Amino acid sequence: MIKKILFVFGLALMAQLIVACVICDCPPVKTIYFTNKGASLKNMDSALPQPMIANSGIISSANYGIQVQLLTAQLSLIKPAITWGLMQSAYACSCSDDNFIAKEDILSLKVFSNNDFDVNHPKDADLSSYFKVKKGVTLISIDDYVKSSKDLSYNTRYAFNEGLFLQVKPSIAKKHTFKLIITLSDGRILEAETTEVELV
């Protein structure tokens, strides 16, 4: 009976040894801390193929979106500790991505226009409720997106990168330059503007 147990244990150890001998050349996973320094905005047209960046100054209101690219700066890098042992298993050889951790959270994002949008939203009124954020295949409100990104410890390097999409057509002015104001948890405020776009 003991021989059978030792035999099974030996087989398991040999299988582990064979799997551990696969060389993947994966670099060690690093933890990188960063801070948000600013934002860059681009007009989007959902009728275009990915990445949907629009070069035209005229876009259908039904297709209009804003891509937000957060400009970041690396603060520090923590190198992983070296672990020693008889075996370090590589298994399927899929290398892990580095861990990016923001120094601050995004508390809110507000959208404003330099022109009157409709009777309830004159120039410089908050238009955030008229935009939804693309998250995968769904569109959710800006507030829900910010809340979910905090709850899930979302990697804020790519926050809002899929785009904010307009849900309501302007009824007064057609030409708009949109300004986004992002409030961070450390009290800083990031501002950025789109180029002028005519929404038809």
Side-chain angles (χ1 to χ4, degrees):
M1 180 70 173
I2 293 177
K3 287 184 179 182
K4 287 181 183 178
I5 293 172
L6 289 175
F7 178 73
V8 171
F9 181 71
L11 280 177
L13 186 61
M14 289 298 290
Q16 177 75 13
L17 182 60
I18 291 168
V19 170
C21 289
V22 176
I23 298 173
C24 286
D25 290 331
C26 289
V29 175
K30 299 181 286 285
T31 300
I32 299 169
Y33 291 90
F34 68 93
T35 185
N36 293 297
K37 302 293 276 180
S40 173
L41 308 180
K42 293 181 181 173
N43 292 322
M44 300 175 75
D45 185 342
S46 63
L48 297 174
Q50 287 290 347
M52 300 185 285
I53 303 303
N55 293 323
S56 171
I58 301 172
I59 301 173
S60 168
S61 298
N63 298 332
Y64 180 70
I66 302 170
Q67 183 189 53
V68 181
Q69 292 180 318
L70 292 174
L71 309 175
T72 61
Q74 182 175 317
L75 295 174
S76 63
L77 168 70
I78 296 178
K79 293 183 180 177
I82 297 173
T83 55
W84 298 96
L86 295 175
M87 294 180 285
Q88 291 185 359
S89 56
Y91 295 106
C93 282
S94 59
C95 299
S96 298
D97 293 332
D98 291 335
N99 298 317
F100 289 89
I101 300 173
K103 178 186 148 205
E104 63 282 317
D105 291 326
I106 294 174
L107 297 181
S108 69
L109 182 142
K110 304 289 182 194
V111 183
F112 303 90
S113 174
N114 66 333
N115 279 323
D116 296 340
F117 198 85
D118 58 26
V119 291
N120 296 320
H121 295 85
K123 174 182 177 179
D124 295 326
D126 183 4
L127 297 171
S128 304
S129 62
Y130 282 4
F131 283 85
K132 289 199 174 184
V133 183
K134 186 172 186 214
K135 187 174 184 182
V137 295
T138 61
L139 291 171
I140 61 174
S141 73
I142 292 173
D143 289 340
D144 287 344
Y145 184 85
V146 169
K147 184 180 181 311
S148 70
S149 67
K150 282 191 276 189
D151 292 345
L152 299 173
S153 299
Y154 181 72
N155 184 346
T156 55
R157 284 190 322 146
Y158 302 112
F160 303 102
N161 195 50
E162 292 185 79
L164 287 78
F165 287 90
L166 183 62
Q167 304 297 302
V168 178
K169 184 176 182 175
S171 60
I172 300 179
K174 299 294 181 196
K175 291 186 178 181
H176 296 273
T177 299
F178 292 101
K179 178 167 74 173
L180 271 64
I181 297 179
I182 301 170
T183 305
L184 303 176
S185 59
D186 63 1
R188 288 183 298 130
I189 294 175
L190 308 178
E191 293 186 18
E193 288 187 354
T194 66
T195 56
E196 185 177 73
V197 62
E198 184 175 352
L199 300 173
V200 294

